[in-house]
Amino acid sequence: MPRLSLGRRAALLSLGGLAAASIATPARARGSVTAAIYPGAWDEAFRTHVVPALKRAHNVDLAMEPLFAVDQVNKVQAARGAPPFDVFVLDPGPRITAIERGLCEPFDARQIPNRAQVPERMIDQWGIGVSVQVVGIAYNPRKLPAPKGWADLFREPFVSRLGITGFQTTFGTVSLIEIAKVFGGSETNVEPAFVELKKVLPRIAAVGAPAAMPGLFQQGQCDVMYTNTQNVQTLKERGVDIAFAIPETGAPAFLTTMHLVKGTREAANAYRYIDTVVSAGVQEALSKPPFNFIPVNQAVPLGADMPMRSLDEMANFVSHDWSKINPLRSDWIQRFNREMAR
């Protein structure tokens, strides 16, 4: 593949010795695809289940580049037409940004044989949903009572055990927006959240990067935090004392989607990869412990610990207008890092 940079090619070769395998294996590999993936549980889950499934089904090698959604969009834009990977995985805000900036190829759902098992409303001309995420408050039930809502985080016994993170992730952004709302703010006015956070900053237990929060909780450096159900279930499977509380004002829920990156020369393998991700077998594997994804394939039942019994219930959860949030989010990220990180 002549368009690959040396760094990207090296990454592909490192995945199981592709060069050696091509000599030793009689059947010729169908090729490869490179996909961005969220760091942490997503990266681990896809290496465990999606990489071998794609190889079995299509003889395609999958290389992954761990990046949060905002960083994926920025990296593709900086590449100026030489995309560093072929497939985005995005939450609603970065998805809108990527589409508006012309960084996504039009999506042909006919190339996804498993599309019939995904709700039609989760597929459009730009991509397809691959998982649902629900955000709320995680707490250690052996140390704290269940918080009733976002405002409780700013009072004892919670505030001195609170761990917070910023606006880099969707779960961080929607949590801070919901905090702002209970103190008089809105979807586009998070000033009340900053005001309340500054009041308690000397008392809270931890301020960390998004990927660090599960580890901080597991180590007992904080006992309450905002996060998604997937992180809660993953920590629970590791034996961590953790429970999930839906705030009395409701829990945000959103769809994570996949898209072809503009300029990809691996479109056929990108479609094979995405189809593998939404297939019933892979969705069921991802929905089981320790990864606990909320599946979009309707042939896969939702787990007993999930906060919804049907994908139709998404309409009852809190949603946000990312077309209004996106223009403000970069300043929020910078301000949080400047004023709250320590």
Side-chain angles (χ1 to χ4, degrees), residues 55-178:
K55 187 68 174 179
R56 284 195 304 270
H58 299 291
N59 199 21
V60 171
D61 293 297
L62 171 63
M64 294 187 292
E65 184 164 356
L67 290 167
F68 288 117
V70 172
D71 298 326
Q72 293 175 39
V73 174
N74 291 338
K75 189 164 186 174
V76 169
Q77 186 164 29
R80 298 179 181 275
F85 46 82
D86 304 295
V87 179
F88 283 118
V89 57
L90 299 173
D91 291 343
R95 165 194 150 90
I96 291 176
T97 301
I99 293 170
E100 289 178 344
R101 293 180 182 177
L103 303 179
C104 296
E105 292 282 1
F107 188 79
D108 182 1
R110 295 172 298 178
Q111 304 301 317
I112 305 295
N114 286 296
R115 67 185 183 281
Q117 296 174 315
V118 178
E120 191 173 348
R121 66 181 182 281
M122 295 183 175
I123 306 171
D124 66 11
Q125 71 271 35
W126 295 112
I128 184 170
V130 297
S131 182
V132 174
Q133 298 195 46
V134 177
V135 177
I137 302 172
Y139 66 101
N140 185 330
R142 294 177 65 88
K143 297 181 179 179
L144 297 171
K148 294 181 180 178
W150 301 106
D152 281 354
L153 303 182
F154 295 79
R155 298 189 281 261
E156 294 296 359
F158 303 103
V159 65
S160 60
R161 301 306 310 148
L162 174 63
I164 65 171
T165 191
F167 292 90
Q168 302 98 318
T169 62
T170 301
F171 81 78
T173 297
V174 298
S175 297
L176 291 166
I177 287 173
E178 293 306 300

Side-chain angles (χ1 to χ4, degrees), residues 86 88 103-105 107 258-262 264 267 270-271 274:
D86 304 295
F88 283 118
L103 303 179
C104 296
E105 292 282 1
F107 188 79
M258 283 189 173
H259 310 265
L260 271 65
V261 176
K262 187 73 173 180
T264 177
Y271 280 118
I274 295 172

Side-chain angles (χ1 to χ4, degrees), residues 162-166 171 206-219 222 224-227 231 235:
L162 174 63
I164 65 171
T165 191
F171 81 78
V207 181
M213 297 310 297
L216 294 176
F217 193 98
Q218 185 171 5
Q219 295 161 15
C222 63
V224 61
M225 63 180 180
Y226 38 83
T227 189
N231 281 331
L235 288 174

